[in-house]
Amino acid sequence: MSPSLEVEGLRTEFGLRDRVLRVVDDVSFTVEPGQALAIVGESGSGKSVAMRSVMRLLPKTGRIAGGQARLGGTDLLALSERQMRKVRGRDIGMVFQNAMEALNPTLTLERQLTEHLKWHGICDHAEAKRRAVETLGDVGIPEPEKRIRTYPFQLSGGMRQRAMIAMAMVTQPSVLIADEPTTAVDVTVQRQLLDLLAELKARGTGIIMITHDLGVARYFCDDAMVMYAGRVVEHGPIRRLLSRPAHPYTTGLFESTLEVGARQRALLPIPGSPPDLAYRPTGCAFHPRCGRAEERCGREEQPLLPWPGHGEVDLLHAGAGPERNAERREVACWKAVEHG
Amino acid sequence: MVDVTVEHDDARTGADGAGGYLITADGVDKVFSTRAGDVHAVRDVSLSVRHGETLGLVGESGSGKSTMARLMMGLMPPTSGTITFDGVDLSAVHGREMRRLRARMQMVFQNPYGSLLPHYSVSANVAEPLRLHKRGDKESRRKRAIELLTMVGVNPRFADHYPRQFSGGQQQRVAIARALALEPKLLMCDEPTSSLDVSIQAQVLALLDELRTSLGLTLVFISHNLAVVERFADRVAVMCLGQVVEIAPTEVLFDSPRHPYTQQLLAAVLPVTKDPLPAPATPWQPRAEVLPLREVAPGHFVREA
Ligand SMILES: Nc1ncnc2c1ncn2[C@@H]1O[C@H](COP(=O)(O)OP(=O)(O)OP(=O)(O)O)[C@@H](O)[C@H]1O
Ligand SMILES: Nc1ncnc2c1ncn2[C@@H]1O[C@H](COP(=O)(O)OP(=O)(O)O)[C@@H](O)[C@H]1O
Ligand code: SF4
Ligand SMILES: [Mg+2]
Ligand SMILES: [Mg+2]
């Protein structure tokens, strides 16, 4: 069985010319083997930087200022770059948000996939070639033995995204981090890719999926973590979170989502835009956009606290006591904690 | 309902009389030659878009949607078939005439940052097409750029900032302002909101909606987000394996899809609120040969499967 990934108190900062910007602030979560965690939140909320911190793939100006990321017994944040290079791609796979970032434009898919396997000493060339063709076929690239000889630019956007997923899956990592892995494909391919990732999950890989698509999160993930301005504002089992969001920001994300077959439903976009972290609002960072804000929201920082689940009806676990469910939900909003 | 088989070159989707179309693709094929052999990206596609209409283009990834967009923009020639823009056959125009036509069709891409010039301020980015087409002088171009930025909701105070200083949603607004600089008739949008957050996406869609009404724009809207297409398009064309397999008015397509691929596509949508989650759809095996397109109801065309 794969080890679990435990991230605790992660803090990441960027050094700007005249100040330091904290873009990930005290983020903690656990991904058990065979479980999937969804990370949601508007762009700029720190999702990608948090994951790049775990992968130790920050740009030069970025710095991990605190926390741990334990995989099995090893704290990834304490490894040397050389040790980390062995872990990356083999024990932790990553599917990047931008397909062009992971794929080398000057190399054919064949070169990229086989080199990757050989570099980690996973198999010899002939076996690597066989596995590469097989994995490309698995992710639904038509005629994989032929397409493996092409360059990334000769593929459609969705095919590039699939090739990248193939590359991350080919080593069967313990943990796979997927940053918006299905935004460029149609829904049938999306479904195939999710089902393929589900197989990986069933074999024990823990998966972290960053996504804007709440339908994808609900279908694929067990837990969800909602980020806003670098912090976690809500955390809990996804089904419960969607059937009754606790944090006003989660409610806002939910209400601005469009859904097929709901032409009539009014769109309720969250007003305004996420804050510039250099000018982080005081107290609850969401207060300038929050319809429920009161005076104290602008004064008091909001820690992540257990959510008592006021009157929450749990359709999925009817019979399991409310205490059990309540334990598993956390929210960073005093109003939600006190009044639901 | 009587099934009427139509010749494909008449299958221009709910013809409403001569002269109603801004852009027409007629029997278009595109073959790319690569080291790995030929890729038949577009097969026998006939499509028309009326003046002021929004046509949604959805379908399989790799089915030729972006290729169709580039063909309709005259950015590359079709292997066979013709594209007609405002009554002019694109293969017959060259040089200056082509440039003049191009000014009237503009494109908005998925990745706004990649489509802007990073070392130009946003106002210079918006003014760039005007400069390339030698419109006005430096000062009038800047003035126009600022008007355009204001129109798309970018505060003119930030006109001299660089693209990277803006959020993705703001960058997309800048890209839209630039696309509008030459007062195009057609806006070709290739996944214009898929790199944006749901909250920002809603704002950009509202902007496009307002612009198409106030400027009378014709839109082709390519997206994998079927919920967006359902809200935004007047008609929808579904592509699979390089072919258009179904075209219908939006409501008809979503309420009663007829082609197995369309049915499969709609069945694969993952709902956010509705229960239960859909069962895996029974896969339909696409066939590569080109079968005829039939009109099954007025304006509703379905390819045989
Ligand atoms: N420059 C090129 N050289 C070779 N093949 C190409 C080129 N551009 C596109 N293709 C091929 O043409 C086909 C259609 O690609 P296209 O980009 O139009 O698909 P799409 O429908 O836009 O897909 P997606 O939804 O994934 O963006 C694909 O098989 C692709 O690999
Ligand atoms: N290289 C960088 N230098 C400075 N700031 C950065 C850099 N990369 C990201 N950031 C900032 O970190 C924050 C979080 O970014 P990111 O993790 O990419 O957000 P998300 O993935 O949630 O959209 C943003 O405010 C972003 O502007
Ligand atoms: S703490 Fe106040 S501002 Fe923040 S989410 Fe709760 S109610 Fe809204
Ligand atoms: Mg990101
Ligand atoms: Mg495309």
Side-chain angles (χ1 to χ4, degrees), chain A residues 192-212:
Chain A
Q192 286 162 17
L193 288 176
L194 293 176
D195 292 346
L196 205 66
L197 290 172
E199 277 175 36
L200 204 65
K201 193 170 118 172
R203 278 185 260 137
T205 297
I207 294 178
I208 301 174
M209 187 177 287
I210 300 181
T211 181
H212 287 311

Side-chain angles (χ1 to χ4, degrees), chain A residues 14 16 21 23 42-50 59 61 97 277:
Chain A
F14 280 103
L16 303 187
L21 212 60
V23 301
E42 285 162 296
S43 59
S45 58
K47 309 179 298 290
S48 300
V49 171
T61 50
Q97 188 168 5
L277 290 176

Side-chain angles (χ1 to χ4, degrees), chain A residues 9-66:
Chain A
L10 178 69
R11 292 195 158 83
T12 306
E13 299 174 343
F14 280 103
L16 303 187
R17 221 173 355 188
D18 48 345
R19 61 175 164 266
V20 171
L21 212 60
R22 178 162 296 174
V23 301
V24 174
D25 197 1
D26 197 17
V27 167
S28 305
F29 60 87
T30 298
V31 186
E32 307 278 354
Q35 294 275 301
L37 170 72
I39 306 187
V40 299
E42 285 162 296
S43 59
S45 58
K47 309 179 298 290
S48 300
V49 171
M51 293 307 112
R52 284 169 162 282
S53 306
V54 171
M55 291 294 281
R56 302 269 307 277
L57 285 173
L58 290 172
K60 283 206 174 58
T61 50
R63 183 178 83 94
I64 294 169

